[in-house]
């Protein structure tokens, strides 16, 4: 199984407001940057979208280390929230509908194809790839 490293970030100007996302995919010596934006969205939607769009680019089953500064995304898988939500018919522990269910479902489906390890990084610190993803996300907002 090929090993791929992915860094992702999402940003919003106002929450909700115009948002952007960025991701860097690294495989061996190859590096690919992707980004996009949406006029009316939330920070969490952009964080999830960055991960989703990056994973969707992988054509073969891969072993992925996905780095994100979003506790929402990382904890969704690391703390097993998503398995509880699925079991409870996409309801939270407080019986509320899970927000962003469609994106969560798509990411979940991709984790069945790829072996994905979600890793939390400190945002806006000294991680060059996280900082670059933040820049990609912010530039995507400017392009809207």
């Amino acid at each position: 199984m090929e090993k791929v490293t992915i860094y992702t970030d999402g940003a919003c100007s106002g929450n909700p407001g115009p948002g952007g996302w960025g991701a860097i995919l690294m495989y061996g010596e190859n590096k690919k940057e992707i980004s996009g934006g949406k006029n009316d969205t939330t920070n969490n939607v952009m964080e999830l979208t960055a991960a989703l769009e990056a994973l969707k680019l992988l054509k073969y089953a891969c072993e992925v280390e996905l780095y994100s500064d979003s506790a929402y995304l990382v904890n969704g898988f690391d703390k097993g929230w998503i398995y509880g939500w699925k079991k409870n018919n996409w309801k939270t522990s407080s019986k509320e509908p899970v927000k962003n269910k469609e994106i969560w479902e798509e990411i979940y489906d991709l984790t069945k194809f790829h072996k994905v390890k979600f890793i939390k990084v400190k945002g806006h610190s000294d991680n060059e790839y996280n900082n670059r993803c933040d820049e990609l996300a912010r530039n995507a907002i400017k392009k809207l």
Side-chain angles (χ1 to χ4, degrees), residues 66-138:
L66 193 148
Y67 293 86
S68 172
D69 63 11
S70 169
Y72 179 63
L73 169 65
V74 174
N75 291 345
F77 287 92
D78 261 17
K79 297 202 184 308
W81 297 350
I82 193 157
Y83 310 109
W85 296 336
K86 282 180 69 64
K87 200 174 76 191
N88 297 327
N89 203 20
W90 292 96
K91 297 271 190 291
T92 64
S93 54
S94 57
K95 307 287 181 247
E96 295 294 314
V98 171
K99 288 186 172 99
N100 312 311
K101 173 188 167 207
E102 294 76 19
I103 311 172
W104 280 112
E105 281 181 311
E106 279 192 81
I107 296 170
Y108 177 81
D109 288 345
L110 288 164
T111 65
K112 293 289 160 232
F113 184 64
H114 304 291
K115 185 177 173 206
V116 184
K117 182 177 179 187
F118 292 88
I119 302 160
K120 176 85 172 65
V121 295
K122 191 173 178 348
H124 312 284
S125 63
D126 55 2
N127 186 302
E128 67 168 305
Y129 298 117
N130 180 259
N131 290 339
R132 177 62 184 145
C133 286
D134 182 60
E135 196 181 324
L136 289 169
R138 294 189 182 287

Side-chain angles (χ1 to χ4, degrees), residues 23-61:
I24 302 170
L25 296 90
M26 292 177 276
Y27 168 71
E29 295 299 307
N30 302 311
K31 193 160 81 171
K32 182 177 181 71
E33 294 185 345
I34 59 171
S35 62
K38 203 171 172 189
N39 277 315
D40 187 28
T41 188
T42 66
N43 197 48
N44 282 341
V45 168
M46 292 294 93
E47 294 284 3
L48 293 175
T49 300
L52 175 62
E53 293 301 327
L55 290 170
K56 277 169 49 176
L57 279 183
L58 304 175
K59 293 176 178 63
Y60 313 102

